[in-house]
Amino acid sequence: DAGVIQSPRHEVTEMGQEVTLRCKPISGHDYLFWYRQTMMRGLELLIYFNNNVPIDDSGMPEDRFSAKMPNASFSTLKIQPSEPRDSAVYFCASSGTSGEGDTQYFGPGTRLTVL
Amino acid sequence: SQKIEQNSEALNIQEGKTATLTCNYTNYSPAYLQWYRQDPGRGPVFLLLIRENEKEKRKERLKVTFDTTLKQSLFHITASQPADSATYLCALDLTGGGNKLTFGTGTQLKVEL
C-alpha cells in the first residue's frame, strides 16, 4: 500500500483565498483524522471521521474550516477565507479498526503558507 | 485541564548511550499510551503502544514504561545511534473514547558521534 496520500505537499496562497487540502487514507481503514502542527501549539487534532461520518469536530478552530469525507477513499479540509494565522503543516492520518488504541498512520503533510 | 507534558528542551547524548525521554500527564488515567517518532518534513510514525496494565514494553532497542500512579511514561533508546536523532511524541486518548489522541509537544533527540 502507498500509505496515506496528501496533496498538495506545499501551498502558498494569499489571505482571503480559499484553500482545499486533500487526503486519501490507507485502503480498508475506517478512521480518518485531520491534524494541524505549529511550533507554538504542536500537533492538534482538528476533526476525525469514522466510516465517512464526522465524529468529533471540536478541534476545528472556526467556521472558516470545514471537512468532508464523501467516500471511504477521499477527504478534504477546506479553509475559506484563509488567514496568515492558518499557516501550518496539516496532516491527515488513518487507522484500521474500531478498537481502542489503534495505530495511526500519518501522511507526509501539506505545508500551508498564507501571505 | 488535561495536559500532556514532554521536555521541550532538546536532549543531546553521545552515541552508544541510553536516551531517556519523559511524558507526564495530568487529571486522567488513560487506558494506553503511544509513542511516535517524527523526522523533519515528515509525518509522525508509530513506535510503541503500552496499556495501563503493562508496566513495561520492549521492541528491539526501545523500551517504554508506564506508571499510572506517577502518571508518567518513560521512553528509552539503548545503544543510541545518530540515526535515532528525531523528535519523539507521546500520545494519549484523554477522552476514554478510544480513538481521539492528544499529542505532547515532543522532545527533540540529538545523538552525537
Side-chain angles (χ1 to χ4, degrees):
Chain A
D1 198 322
V4 175
I5 298 172
Q6 292 187 246
S7 64
R9 293 295 311 277
H10 302 272
E11 177 80 32
V12 179
T13 190
E14 293 188 347
M15 182 173 62
Q17 297 298 306
E18 177 180 296
V19 174
T20 299
L21 311 181
R22 297 172 176 79
C23 175
K24 176 178 169 55
I26 292 173
S27 177
H29 281 187
D30 53 3
Y31 280 84
L32 183 139
F33 306 83
W34 281 102
Y35 290 88
R36 177 173 67 177
Q37 188 173 40
T38 62
M39 289 292 293
M40 290 296 294
R41 300 176 66 90
L43 191 63
E44 302 174 285
L45 177 65
L46 300 177
I47 184 171
Y48 78 94
F49 296 82
N50 177 218
N51 291 322
N52 312 339
V53 176
I55 302 300
D56 187 334
D57 66 353
S58 60
M60 296 286 261
E62 306 173 26
D63 291 345
R64 297 184 297 105
F65 287 69
S66 63
K68 294 182 180 179
M69 192 165 186
N71 57 62
S73 59
F74 184 66
S75 177
T76 60
L77 178 67
K78 186 176 292 186
I79 308 173
Q80 166 64 20
S82 58
E83 297 182 3
R85 60 189 166 129
D86 301 330
S87 297
V89 180
Y90 291 81
F91 289 102
C92 175
S94 67
S95 68
T97 74
S98 58
E100 182 182 81
D102 294 305
T103 300
Q104 293 188 17
Y105 295 83
F106 283 76
T110 295
R111 181 173 295 276
L112 173 65
T113 303
V114 183
L115 303 174
Chain B
S1 63
Q2 296 159 345
K3 220 163 37 167
I4 302 172
E5 294 182 344
Q6 294 185 256
N7 191 343
S8 59
E9 294 186 10
L11 177 63
N12 296 331
I13 65 167
Q14 196 173 19
E15 183 180 21
K17 302 292 186 184
T18 296
T20 299
L21 287 68
T22 304
C23 177
N24 295 299
Y25 58 94
T26 61
N27 297 344
Y28 184 71
S29 297
Y32 64 87
L33 184 148
Q34 299 186 23
W35 282 89
Y36 287 75
R37 168 183 172 143
Q38 186 174 22
D39 291 283
R42 294 177 178 265
V45 175
F46 172 78
L47 295 175
L48 281 168
L49 179 151
I50 186 166
R51 301 192 183 278
E52 60 178 339
N53 60 349
E54 298 175 313
K55 294 289 186 187
E56 179 181 299
K57 194 163 224 181
R58 293 176 184 261
K59 179 183 176 183
E60 298 173 353
R61 295 184 295 111
L62 308 181
K63 184 179 84 171
V64 172
T65 63
F66 195 11
D67 189 325
T68 55
T69 301
L70 293 178
K71 296 188 184 299
Q72 180 182 80
S73 175
L74 299 179
F75 178 81
H76 306 273
I77 305 176
T78 58
S80 59
Q81 305 166 359
D84 295 327
S85 299
T87 296
Y88 292 86
L89 304 160
C90 67
L92 301 91
D93 175 8
L94 295 177
T95 66
N99 295 91
K100 183 178 176 180
L101 291 180
T102 299
F103 282 80
T105 53
T107 298
Q108 186 178 12
L109 172 67
K110 294 182 182 178
V111 181
E112 300 166 338
L113 293 170

